[in-house]
Amino acid sequence: MQIRDLPYSDPGDPDVRSGPRFLLWLGRNQLAGQLTSLSWGLLHQLGIAGLPLAVGLAVQAVVDRSGGRLALVGALIVALGVVIAVGDTMLHRAAVTNWITAAARVQQLLARRTAELGAALTRRVAAGEVVAVSTGDVEKIGWFVEALSRFVAAAAALVIVCVGLVLYLPSLGVLVALAVPVLALAVLPLLPPATRRADEQRDKAGKATELASDTVAGLRVLRGIGGESLFLGRYRRASQEVRRAAVRSARMWALISAVQVLLPGILLISLVWYGATLARDGRVDVGQLVTVYSAATLMLFPLRHFEEIAMAYSFSRPSAQRAVRVLSLRRAAREATVEGVAPSGDLYDPATGLMAPAGRFTAVVCGDPDEAGRLAERLGGHAQTEDTRTGPAQTGNERAGQARNGQAQNGDAEPETPAAPSVLLGGVALDELPLDAARTAVLVQDKDPVLLSGTLGELLDVPSSGLVTAAAALEAAQCEDVLTALAQASPDDDGDPARTRITERGRSLSGGQRQRLALARSLVTDPPVLVLDEPTSAVDSHTEARVAAGIARLRRGRTTVAFASSPLLLDAADRVVLVHDGGVVAVGNHRDLLRAEPRYRAVVTRETDEEAAAANGLGGVPAMKNAQEVTVQEVEERA
């Protein structure tokens, strides 16, 4: 795999049983690249290993006053220089290619898992952890994959040089051969504490990243309540903890580096002393002594790869663990048993009894906003799962915290069981459909939709049926003021709003403008089933009434489900369903439910407990009638 061939057509199915198994899987999938890097690494290392022999022969030629031999040795040194240069250049190319392709594979796997889980991802894994995995952790994993082949080449070169020295000059070669394993393995006792300190540093850095991302996401709210200084102080303390942990980790790695310098230095001193004694006694030639000494000196270079691979593994293993925690999450679905064709018909949730008839506008009222969000995800095929140990109510941040504290240290996927049967579309279970077919059939716009950076034209350039134009969707979503503002900021002289750039997450727009643009994007897609979670919560009442009418008009004949508690939107729906305590308790139109269902009236009119008690005390029905008259009057005034 070459860099020019990226991205992968299929990144593969990773082994997510543990972090080390995931690293091994990455290495196996880059076997050709690893062998290429190993070959060039061996050429480079053996070229370096040949220099001591050439230098020794040159010294001996000078001692023997042989000009011909000196010329031949000079030519050999030039040839070795060419071999070293070519080997080093090609090794670097192959190693960097392995690094980049491994990182790209991991990023593609993460992107695929993110797209598969959708909004359910952040319920199961902390957003900061996902960010940390897709940035810093990917780089560390790629580092280990890249360093592995260079380490193997260095280890092979050491073995070859030791064997060669023993055969060339046993009296000194045996000393070198016995010392090299000691030098290579001397740092092993220091690796566990170094790894623990590195893990501590990464944990603290991950928490600081989560805190920073949460602060940035809620910056507008923090400014509104004057909480910037509070959160800035928290981040400052978290960053100082990261700095202290990094210093402690660096001290341990500095100690390892010192050992890697001290022990080889002792070897060289011993070798010079013993070799000089042998040369003085005439037992070895000067050229032989120079050859062995030069070989021992140059062996320090491949020995450095032992330290590097230890560092790379200690840094990449926890990074791989975190990647595995994300990649092991699965869409709560059985194996696809239905052809990949989007079905049509009624949308039915067996868990709550919610029915959304095909081609009609159904509004759903839930007293609990979190319950509404979970039900919206279920309708989109993101079936809620229940961890067999932690329970269904646990948040993604809590589970991620448990994993960091050691409850999922082996990297195995958490055992999950479906909490409820799948939602049915036209009698077909969504979790039995291939993911593409399920996403084509049902589109869910959650409560806080995200606008990616880009122009307005790019925002609305989404896969669609082609039956709804961008202009019609923007009109239905009441985006006239947004278009006016974008036209004024347009880079073109003609003031084309479609070419105006929208900043990341639409931060240059108000909350209501972002919400309406997101609604327009969903309407342009024109899916067979559209699920909207509080699509008008950030707009004023007059705009809300027009948006509700626009949705009903543009989606006529299409299945639409809107989770809302606003009378304006509920009055525009064909039918209204009240969900209470996890089940459907009432179905009807908005006005009939206001008269007949106290629980519905309490949610829609924001009726307090005292008002409900007073209504019951006055006989119930007249009070309901008065509440209905007031509510209908309010609806008419707002509309």
Side-chain angles (χ1 to χ4, degrees), residues 331 333-339 341 343 346-348 350 378 381 421-434 437-438:
R331 176 177 174 236
R334 297 182 290 273
E335 183 179 355
T337 57
V338 182
E339 294 294 330
V341 178
D346 298 339
L347 185 67
Y348 175 66
R378 277 185 50 75
S422 171
V423 170
L424 305 178
L425 178 60
V428 178
L430 286 181
D431 67 1
E432 294 183 357
L433 285 172

Side-chain angles (χ1 to χ4, degrees), residues 316-620:
S316 65
R317 182 185 55 79
S319 295
Q321 293 282 100
R322 288 203 286 198
V324 161
R325 281 200 290 271
V326 177
L327 296 176
S328 62
L329 300 175
R330 300 289 181 182
R331 176 177 174 236
R334 297 182 290 273
E335 183 179 355
T337 57
V338 182
E339 294 294 330
V341 178
S344 60
D346 298 339
L347 185 67
Y348 175 66
D349 178 25
T352 60
L354 172 64
M355 169 71 77
R360 302 188 66 186
F361 184 6
T362 302
V364 182
V365 176
C366 293
D368 182 4
D370 291 334
E371 181 182 4
R374 290 191 293 269
L375 181 53
E377 289 181 7
R378 277 185 50 75
L379 294 180
H382 299 290
Q384 300 298 308
T385 56
E386 178 177 354
D387 192 299
T388 56
R389 293 186 295 107
T390 59
Q394 195 167 25
T395 67
N397 287 329
E398 291 169 344
R399 294 186 187 182
Q402 287 183 352
R404 284 192 299 269
N405 291 332
Q407 295 186 12
Q409 291 298 320
N410 60 356
D412 294 343
E414 296 292 341
E416 295 179 348
T417 56
S422 171
V423 170
L424 305 178
L425 178 60
V428 178
L430 286 181
D431 67 1
E432 294 183 357
L433 285 172
L435 182 61
D436 291 344
R439 291 286 173 82
T440 301
V442 183
L443 172 65
V444 179
Q445 177 180 303
D446 60 18
K447 190 176 302 181
D448 298 310
V450 175
L451 302 181
L452 301 179
S453 59
T455 64
L456 177 62
E458 292 170 341
L459 174 69
L460 299 178
D461 184 16
V462 293
S464 64
S465 67
L467 300 178
V468 177
T469 64
L474 290 168
E475 180 183 359
Q478 299 299 308
C479 294
E480 293 84 356
D481 61 320
V482 184
L483 295 177
T484 301
L486 294 177
Q488 294 174 352
S490 174
D492 296 339
D493 294 335
D494 58 356
D496 183 6
R499 296 178 60 84
T500 303
R501 189 168 185 81
I502 299 173
T503 57
E504 181 185 3
R505 293 181 175 268
R507 300 187 192 281
S508 58
L509 305 173
S510 68
Q513 289 174 329
R514 289 197 300 270
Q515 191 176 58
R516 282 176 284 149
L517 277 181
L519 175 60
R521 179 179 60 187
S522 299
L523 293 175
V524 165
T525 304
D526 190 33
V529 179
L530 176 61
V531 179
L532 305 170
D533 188 4
E534 295 287 355
T536 58
S537 59
V539 300
D540 60 79
S541 57
H542 295 286
T543 304
E544 184 178 22
R546 294 196 296 270
V547 170
I551 294 174
R553 181 183 66 256
L554 197 63
R555 293 288 299 174
R556 184 173 294 113
R558 293 289 215 179
T559 307
T560 307
V561 181
F563 289 82
S565 59
S566 167
L568 295 166
L569 188 58
L570 297 173
D571 200 45
D574 297 328
R575 63 198 300 270
V576 180
V577 178
L578 174 63
V579 177
H580 183 71
D581 288 339
V584 173
V585 295
V587 180
N589 61 49
H590 169 60
R591 304 190 181 206
D592 290 342
L593 289 176
L594 275 176
R595 294 189 182 94
E597 180 54 62
R599 289 170 294 188
Y600 179 83
R601 186 174 64 251
V603 174
V604 173
T605 65
R606 277 69 169 178
E607 189 177 62
T608 64
D609 294 338
E610 291 77 7
E611 292 171 339
N616 292 332
L618 291 174

